[in-house]
């Protein structure tokens, strides 16, 4: 995800090295292009930006020589629009008097850009950060002072983002946010603002967390908060933070896996805003609708999302789709491919070799390749005819968590659209996910002691929760090194039931429609001395029959799988830590598998 940093100094300074260092501290978020802008007291803007990694671009464009009293650095993680020099940030307004950069997504970017072009502004990119600059330019050109122009622009820009902007001839920077994070700090001789605490910490520990509906004004001598609503001053004490650099990059969490689990409500919210506003979703639906056969192809966690997606598509759109593990796509389906067949290739990294090989084999037989991916600029993106982003930002931890959530949500969204249903109900998901984390994490702790020494268990699901059981079992194997097999609950009695002895743990993931069926399975385990752990909505039958019940918020059968995966992620995480492993970097594994 993109990151922004801005600084205002009391006297002209060599800002280039400061901006490069701040940029490096933002880089853990993942990015594909980088840019710096400095404003000098003489009234000029020096803007340098390009695609590439910060050290390489900084050396090539000589960021180190940039000077001024105000500076902005931005690292861009592309969502829509390929990474390019034009789309790199910061951006200028039409006359080159304003310079600004954002992170996050402005969801009405397309409409605003068209409006600004029609009004005669010079628009140089398709990036929504540039739209933010023009949104302010519009009101500055109408004669409003900066603060007033920003207040008005704020009302025009929809989405989740943070934005920083400066104007020649002034000594200030201004920043505000909607949804995304923004923190300001005050140091000796400098005022600072950033999307991320780590880029501020080297300067100061005295910070202000900017809230939605506030504009922060950075001046050589200090910081002022103003209300967007009426421009009135907001009084707030600085807070003195104790986080270290490393803590801050993990956002105070002990591991990236836990941080990324907690990021799921926010990322889901961003995905929904993005898809609600994106014309690409409808185009994708049309392509999938028109397919002769529709294949959903992925590996590991991404394959589990495909399995869930196939059930959503059948149930909500009456559209059969064939979920398949990428390496099996070639022997099982490629020989039978024909005109009109479509493959939706699902991958967090967009670099998984098994997925790319499957795509190439399919394309050679006339398959139309589509993508659902997290890394914009990845090989998969360039190989597909159309794609949708997962908008999760950088997933650092090897176990996929937030990207699974948004893959599942993307499939649900597409299935509802394809079936002609409203997607409005999906907006309950972010809050339900928050509730799920709060409710289930404490419920998991009592299980950890009993399960930490266990090297063998099952995780069972049925229907919509079958892919969730597979995903839970994969998480468990990946980070605890225990053998955990995921399977269809009804298959358990066809063989694996023989493994059950006194205390043998079996997890049942239960959708609200499947309680009766699951209760039978639970009893098959408990009457043989096994320990049945159920994950589902509160239900007297589950409560009475299972040893443990991890209660999910009531959400109905369609949303239930998205919630059910959360306690499984948390359980895997907590067991990994209890067993003394590093869940972020499990042995023998790599985040991106570019090998056979
Ligand atoms: O980047 P991809 O989504 O293509 O990766 C596929 C799998 O390697 C990946 O999902 C893997 O199974 C995860 N580490 C599981 O948590």
């Amino acid at each position: 995800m993109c990151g922004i940093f801005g600084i205002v100094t009391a006297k002209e300074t060599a800002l280039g090295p400061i901006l490069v260092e701040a940029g490096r501290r933002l880089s853990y978020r993942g990015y594909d292009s980088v840019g710096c802008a400095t404003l000098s007291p003489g009234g000029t803007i020096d803007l340098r930006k390009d695609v590439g990694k910060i050290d390489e671009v900084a050396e090539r464009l000589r960021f180190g020589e940039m000077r001024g009293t105000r500076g902005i650095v931005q690292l861009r993680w592309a969502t829509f629009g390929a990474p390019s020099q034009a789309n790199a940030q910061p951006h200028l307004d039409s006359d080159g008097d304003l310079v600004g950069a954002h992170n996050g997504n402005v969801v009405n970017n397309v409409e605003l850009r068209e409006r600004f072009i029609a009004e005669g502004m010079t628009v140089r990119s398709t990036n929504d950060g540039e739209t933010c600059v023009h949104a302010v330019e519009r009101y500055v050109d109408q004669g409003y002072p900066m603060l007033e122009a920003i207040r008005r622009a704020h009302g025009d820009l929809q989405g989740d983002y943070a934005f920083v902007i400066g104007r020649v001839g002034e000594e200030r920077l201004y920043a505000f946010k909607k949804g995304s994070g923004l923190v300001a700090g005050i140091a000796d001789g400098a005022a600072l603002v950033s999307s991320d605490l780590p880029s501020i910490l080297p300067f100061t520990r005295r910070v202000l967390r900017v809230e939605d509906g506030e504009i922060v004004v950075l001046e050589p001598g200090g910081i002022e908060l103003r209300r967007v609503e009426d421009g009135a001053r907001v009084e707030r004490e600085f807070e003195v933070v104790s986080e270290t650099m490393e803590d801050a990059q993990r956002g105070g969490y002990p591991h990236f896996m836990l941080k990324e689990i907690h990021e799921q409500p926010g990322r889901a919210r961003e995905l929904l805003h993005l898809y609600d506003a994106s014309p690409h979703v409808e185009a994708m639906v049309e392509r999938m609708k028109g397919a002769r056969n529709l294949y959903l192809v992925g590996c590991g966690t991404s394959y589990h999302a495909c399995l869930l997606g196939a059930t959503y598509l059948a149930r909500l759109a009456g559209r059969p789709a064939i979920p398949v593990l990428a390496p099996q796509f070639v022997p099982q389906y490629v020989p039978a491919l024909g005109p009109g067949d479509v493959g939706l290739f699902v991958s967090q990294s967009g670099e998984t070799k098994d997925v790319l090989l499957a795509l190439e084999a399919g394309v050679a037989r006339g398959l139309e390749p589509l993508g659902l991916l997290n890394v914009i600029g990845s090989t998969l993106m360039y190989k597909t005819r159309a794609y949708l982003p997962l908008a999760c930002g950088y997933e650092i931890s090897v176990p996929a968590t937030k990207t699974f959530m948004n893959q599942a949500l993307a499939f649900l969204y597409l299935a509802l659209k394809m079936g002609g249903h409203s997607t409005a109900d999906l907006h309950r998901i972010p809050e339900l996910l928050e509730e799920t984390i709060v409710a289930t994490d404490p419920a998991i702790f009592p299980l950890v002691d009993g399960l930490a020494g266990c090297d063998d268990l099952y995780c069972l699901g049925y229907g919509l929760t079958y892919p969730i059981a597979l995903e839970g079992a994969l998480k468990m194997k990946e980070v605890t090194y225990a053998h955990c097999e995921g399977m269809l609950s009804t298959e358990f009695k066809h063989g694996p039931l023989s493994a059950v002895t006194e205390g043998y743990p079996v997890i049942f993931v239960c959708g609200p429609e499947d309680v009766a069926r699951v209760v039978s399975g639970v009893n098959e385990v408990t009457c043989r001395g096994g320990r049945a752990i159920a994950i589902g909505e509160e239900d007297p039958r589950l409560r009475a029959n299972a040893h443990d019940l991890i209660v999910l918020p009531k959400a109905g059968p369609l949303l239930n799988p998205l919630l059910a995966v959360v306690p499984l992620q948390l359980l895997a995480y907590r067991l990994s830590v209890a067993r003394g492993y590093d869940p972020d970097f499990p042995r023998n594994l790599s985040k991106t598998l570019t090998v056979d």
Side-chain angles (χ1 to χ4, degrees):
M1 289 298 272
C2 316
I4 53 173
F5 170 87
I7 180 166
V8 174
T9 53
K11 54 181 193 306
E12 189 170 356
T13 311
L15 287 179
I18 294 174
L19 296 177
V20 171
E21 187 48 35
R24 283 195 194 111
R25 289 176 199 278
L26 294 171
S27 65
Y28 77 97
R29 295 168 72 112
Y31 65 102
D32 41 60
S33 56
V34 55
C36 285
T38 52
L39 296 98
S40 74
T44 56
I45 295 176
D46 183 358
L47 172 63
R48 307 179 191 199
K49 57 182 185 172
D50 208 348
V51 175
K53 293 297 166 199
I54 183 148
D55 288 326
E56 181 267 312
V57 177
E59 194 181 328
R60 185 157 42 88
L61 301 184
R62 301 198 307 275
F63 285 173
E65 68 189 24
M66 296 173 81
R67 296 182 62 79
T69 48
R70 287 169 291 164
I72 296 172
V73 59
Q74 200 269 10
L75 266 58
R76 175 174 185 245
W77 166 279
T79 303
F80 284 114
S84 67
Q85 202 271 346
N87 282 334
Q89 301 203 46
H91 295 283
L92 297 173
D93 72 332
S94 304
D95 302 330
D97 292 336
L98 299 173
V99 65
H102 91 320
N103 71 317
N105 293 301
V106 173
V107 296
N108 56 341
N109 177 42
V110 174
E111 300 96 287
L112 287 178
R113 206 156 48 84
E114 279 167 10
R115 192 210 287 178
F116 297 153
I117 292 169
E119 287 176 3
M121 294 188 198
T122 307
V123 179
R124 304 173 184 91
S125 74
T126 54
N127 180 255
D128 43 350
E130 181 174 357
T131 298
C132 295
V133 178
H134 292 301
V136 176
E137 172 187 358
R138 194 159 181 265
Y139 294 109
V140 168
D141 284 354
Q142 289 171 23
Y144 291 103
M146 265 307 259
L147 188 65
E148 184 56 30
I150 291 168
R151 284 183 51 224
R152 285 168 185 261
H154 178 280
D156 294 340
L157 296 161
Q158 295 165 13
D160 290 296
Y161 61 93
F163 177 53
V164 56
I165 188 165
R167 182 186 189 184
V168 293
E170 285 195 358
E171 284 311 313
R172 299 190 186 101
L173 285 179
Y174 305 81
F176 64 86
K177 65 142 197 141
K178 279 184 179 173
S180 301
L182 190 67
V183 55
I186 192 83
D188 202 15
L192 313 125
V193 68
S194 180
S195 49
D196 290 57
L197 188 59
S199 56
I200 299 234
L201 282 182
F203 299 91
T204 182
R205 292 185 174 274
R206 291 185 64 217
V207 302
L208 278 179
R209 313 237 179 212
V210 183
E211 292 180 6
D212 284 355
E214 294 174 350
I215 298 167
V216 57
V217 183
L218 301 120
E219 295 175 310
I223 285 175
E224 203 176 272
L225 285 175
R226 296 276 178 173
R227 267 205 327 229
V228 171
E229 201 187 345
D230 53 9
R233 226 182 137 132
V234 179
E235 297 301 337
R236 177 155 336 119
E237 292 290 308
F238 280 90
E239 125 194 25
V240 179
V241 292
S242 57
E243 280 108 317
T244 64
M245 270 300 306
E246 212 210 334
D247 284 346
Q249 294 205 337
R250 285 194 255 104
Y253 291 95
H255 295 98
F256 283 107
M257 183 177 177
L258 190 60
K259 174 173 182 255
E260 288 160 5
I261 291 170
H262 279 258
E263 280 175 356
Q264 292 179 117
R267 295 294 177 234
R269 192 172 286 121
E270 283 179 31
L271 190 86
L272 291 169
H273 283 161
L274 195 65
Y275 283 17
D276 281 352
S278 169
H280 301 275
V281 173
E282 205 51 57
M284 183 70 92
V285 166
E286 287 311 310
R287 284 172 188 265
M288 288 165 69
K289 244 186 198 168
R292 186 183 74 140
N293 293 304
L294 175 62
Y295 298 95
L296 312 177
V297 188
C299 292
T301 290
S302 297
Y303 166 67
H304 297 152
C306 292
L307 270 177
L308 182 60
T311 312
Y312 279 142
L313 286 165
R315 184 166 169 157
L316 296 168
R319 166 78 241 194
I322 304 162
V324 53
L325 282 163
Q328 188 62 11
F329 180 60
V330 181
Q332 195 170 341
Y333 295 109
V334 165
L337 290 179
D341 286 345
V342 172
L344 177 57
F345 294 85
V346 181
S347 173
Q348 183 285 129
S349 61
E351 300 295 346
T352 301
K353 190 166 177 200
D354 288 338
V355 173
L356 297 174
L357 288 177
L359 179 145
E360 276 157 24
V363 169
R365 298 274 310 190
L367 180 89
E368 181 182 36
L370 307 176
L372 185 58
L373 47 96
N374 194 40
V375 180
I376 305 302
S378 60
T379 310
L380 180 60
M381 187 193 101
Y382 288 111
K383 285 185 182 286
T384 51
R385 248 178 249 157
Y387 73 91
L388 287 179
L390 294 171
C392 285
Y394 205 53
E395 193 174 59
I396 292 171
S397 178
V398 170
T401 52
K402 59 180 174 171
T403 52
F404 175 75
M405 184 59 68
N406 276 11
Q407 286 169 342
L409 182 52
F411 270 121
L412 179 52
Y413 197 103
L414 289 169
L416 286 167
K417 281 275 175 204
M418 201 181 286
H421 307 287
S422 162
T423 53
D425 198 41
L426 301 186
H427 286 271
R428 292 198 294 137
I429 290 175
E431 214 167 299
L432 284 167
L433 287 173
E434 273 155 19
E435 279 175 42
T436 306
I437 293 172
V438 170
T440 61
D441 203 12
I444 278 163
F445 275 103
L447 295 179
V448 171
D449 274 354
L451 294 180
C454 158
D455 279 325
D456 195 16
L457 69 160
Y458 276 85
C459 186
L460 311 181
Y462 178 82
L464 282 164
T465 62
Y466 168 52
I468 301 303
L470 297 189
E471 175 56 11
L474 175 61
K475 281 305 83 98
M476 213 76 83
K477 283 188 275 255
E478 193 174 16
V479 300
T480 71
Y481 312 160
H483 170 248
C484 181
E485 197 169 332
M487 68 188 300
L488 197 69
S489 60
T490 51
E491 280 297 290
F492 196 60
K493 60 182 178 292
H494 292 291
L497 186 58
S498 65
V500 173
T501 51
E502 196 59 35
Y504 188 96
V506 182
I507 301 173
F508 289 85
V509 193
C510 180
E513 292 168 327
D514 308 320
V515 178
R517 195 186 309 266
V518 169
V519 166
S520 298
V522 162
N523 279 291
E524 282 157 10
V525 168
T526 52
C527 75
R528 289 169 176 85
R531 176 173 183 182
I533 301 161
I535 297 176
E537 293 182 2
E538 181 65 60
D539 187 291
R541 292 166 294 173
L542 288 178
R543 174 101 26 225
N545 287 282
H547 287 94
D548 311 275
L549 174 60
I550 299 179
V551 182
L552 300 173
K554 284 209 183 303
L558 292 176
L559 307 192
N560 171 271
L562 277 69
L563 309 190
V565 77
V566 172
L568 290 165
Q569 296 166 341
L570 287 165
L571 181 61
Y573 169 76
R574 300 266 172 232
L575 287 174
S576 174
V577 174
R579 287 162 75 97
Y581 304 134
D582 179 352
D584 287 341
F585 304 104
R587 70 183 179 211
N588 307 339
L589 298 180
S590 154
K591 183 74 182 158
T592 305
L593 287 161
T594 53
V595 291
D596 285 316

